[in-house]
Amino acid sequence: MAEGRFTNPVVASLAGIRDFFAKQELESRFSDRDRADGKTVLVTGANSGLGFALAVEFARRGARVIMAGRSKIPEAGERVSRVAGSDLVEMRYLDLSRIETIHQFTESLKQDGTRIDIAIFNAATALPGSRKTESGQDEMFLVNYLSNVILSQLLIRKGILNQGPSELQSKIIFISSDSHRGATAIDYNEFGKYFEYGVSKGISNYSYFKLVLNTYATELSRRINQQGVILGINLICPGPVHSNIVKEAPWLLRMVLKGIFWVIFKSPAKASRPVVYMALSEDYRGTTNQYLHMFNPKQMDPKVYDPGEGVMLWERSMALLREIDPQSSEYATNGSP
Ligand SMILES: NC(=O)c1ccc[n+]([C@@H]2O[C@H](COP(=O)([O-])OP(=O)(O)OC[C@H]3O[C@@H](n4cnc5c(N)ncnc54)[C@H](OP(=O)(O)O)[C@@H]3O)[C@@H](O)[C@H]2O)c1
């Protein structure tokens, strides 16, 4: 059975203490001079937490910001606009637990002729147990992993992301978690299958699905960037963020976790800094498959880099998508996008 690094939510949160005090190797490279004027930035899950802070920061730095989410439309967008002092902010509906909305969202971008320079795959959920989606999968599996496959494939195949030399190429940044480290290898017996589980498996799945996501991102980069980098596909763990990620935890547990968050977790604004650095700094121009843990460059879990695992995950993901997504013929192939 697949297992993530943690099964206890309090232990998982306390692991953030070390991160809170960790030395930040590249922090001095973060600069207000890195601007985003003329760029279009997409942030998923932008109505809350880290995604909201990222939307504010990119808007402040001059970007047109597309905030994708399933709630607080248009209030969150109006707030970002106000706080950042920008009228280049818009919100669009995207519910990553409903596959057809990913098609509608990407099609609306294509119809408008929108080109995205930086796509931040930020949305994720931490649920206290299993929940079945309309298409029959576990919600955390769909939102935290599989929907990111669909969204990235459609953005690439519809030509919404640019591929080419470094000055022209788009960037994808997957928001991951260092808790992916130490998760078990991908279990293809339970891959994409729905079964009932409770809090501890929910916590374990959160970090396990980040391992799955990192493995997909690595394989995507391997396939697209065979002859040199034409699309930057990098990953980052923002460290512990005082956000709404535990909003669905049972009441008592939520209170305990919120207490820990108050004391040791970083504000979303502070946690957004390494993400903005990775997205805008010259240091990461033309790079791919790099991983930052806050401001510290690191290797991911070794399993993530195994090419055999990458091929297997790709093929199993595409096979599953051919079963569950009526529009999968647009993207679900075993070849490169
Ligand atoms: N918090 C941490 O300590 C921490 C640590 C490491 C990594 N991260 C990562 O940081 C990212 C942001 O999380 P956060 O901490 O800022 O938590 P958050 O405040 O809960 O933000 C998560 C965002 O994802 C959205 N989302 C959830 N389900 C969705 C769905 N079905 N469709 C569309 N959007 C959906 C949420 O929208 P709703 O408001 O509508 O639910 C929200 O906007 C996540 O990838 C998380 O794994 C967080």
Side-chain angles (χ1 to χ4, degrees), residues 42 52 63 142 176-177 200 240 260 274 299 314 325:
L42 164 68
F52 182 89
L142 188 55
S176 187
S177 163
S200 43
I260 296 172
Q299 290 285 296
W314 188 282
D325 178 4

Side-chain angles (χ1 to χ4, degrees), residues 258-270:
K258 276 282 174 189
I260 296 172
F261 277 31
W262 270 112
V263 179
I264 55 168
F265 279 31
K266 290 180 288 183
S267 69
K270 189 152 190 223

Side-chain angles (χ1 to χ4, degrees), residues 227-290:
Q227 253 101 57
V229 182
I230 56 169
L231 179 67
I233 302 168
N234 292 315
L235 304 101
I236 186 166
C237 168
V241 192
H242 185 178
S243 69
N244 293 317
I245 196 88
V246 294
K247 63 179 177 290
E248 297 217 44
W251 181 82
L252 187 58
L253 180 59
R254 199 167 66 244
M255 293 302 112
V256 173
L257 294 175
K258 276 282 174 189
I260 296 172
F261 277 31
W262 270 112
V263 179
I264 55 168
F265 279 31
K266 290 180 288 183
S267 69
K270 189 152 190 223
S272 74
R273 290 158 53 97
V275 184
V276 173
Y277 162 68
M278 190 177 224
L280 298 181
S281 168
E282 278 296 306
D283 297 353
Y284 279 88
R285 169 130 78 106
T287 66
T288 197
N289 205 213
Q290 299 299 303

Side-chain angles (χ1 to χ4, degrees), residues 29-36 41 43 50 53-61 118 120 171 173 175 236 238 268-282 284 292 294-295:
R29 308 281 307 161
F30 177 74
S31 165
D32 286 336
R33 285 190 301 278
D34 289 330
R35 297 280 309 172
V41 181
V43 184
L50 179 67
L54 285 168
V56 169
E57 197 52 36
F58 285 118
R60 258 191 198 134
R61 289 168 187 251
I118 301 167
I120 313 276
K171 294 174 179 177
I173 297 182
I175 304 296
I236 186 166
K270 189 152 190 223
S272 74
R273 290 158 53 97
V275 184
V276 173
Y277 162 68
M278 190 177 224
L280 298 181
S281 168
E282 278 296 306
Y284 279 88
L292 274 179
M294 303 174 289
F295 278 106

